[in-house]
């Protein structure tokens, strides 16, 4: 399976970010499992590493994302470059 990483990077709030569901797919885990790991270690993910999208941001990004099921998600986390590095 080939993943075009450039298409998974979005600009939100003036930062380049990746969505939790995309990162989970890259690592081969469920999004739920990835978010649980983040919740267990909040000290590793301060606000400049990740943030939760607003409903408006979810609506806007769902128009450009191929996997449009995100518009039905209640919570979506966006990870900055540093946040993605911390996940690895």
């Amino acid at each position: 399976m080939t993943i075009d990483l450039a298409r998974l990077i979005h600009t939100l709030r003036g930062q380049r970010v990746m969505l939790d569901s995309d990162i989970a797919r890259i690592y081969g885990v469920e999004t739920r499992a990835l978010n649980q790991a983040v919740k267990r270690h909040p000290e590793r993910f301060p606000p400049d590493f990740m943030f939760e999208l607003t409903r408006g941001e979810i609506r806007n990004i769902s128009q450009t994302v191929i996997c449009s099921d995100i518009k039905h998600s209640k919570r979506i986390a966006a990870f900055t470059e540093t946040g993605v590095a911390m996940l690895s």
Side-chain angles (χ1 to χ4, degrees):
M1 170 177 82
T2 304
I3 298 174
D4 182 3
L5 293 177
R7 294 186 76 177
L8 302 180
I9 299 170
H10 307 280
T11 302
L12 294 168
R13 302 182 192 178
Q15 298 184 65
R16 292 171 40 133
V17 299
M18 290 183 73
L19 305 180
D20 55 0
S21 57
D22 292 331
I23 296 168
R25 190 166 32 128
I26 290 168
Y27 286 118
V29 299
E30 293 181 17
T31 304
R32 175 185 54 81
L34 180 128
N35 287 323
Q36 284 176 346
V38 170
K39 285 182 184 179
R40 280 191 222 114
H41 303 285
E43 70 282 357
R44 293 185 187 174
F45 299 96
D48 57 334
F49 283 18
M50 66 162 286
F51 54 87
E52 193 171 303
L53 300 182
T54 65
R55 292 301 313 157
E57 289 169 329
I58 293 170
R59 273 192 303 276
N60 288 338
I61 206 162
S62 70
Q63 296 172 1
T64 62
V65 175
I66 293 172
C67 182
S68 63
D69 63 334
I70 69 165
K71 66 182 167 189
H72 302 295
S73 299
K74 292 181 181 175
R75 292 186 173 161
I76 298 177
F79 291 84
T80 64
E81 184 177 350
T82 307
V84 172
M86 290 301 295
L87 284 170
S88 64

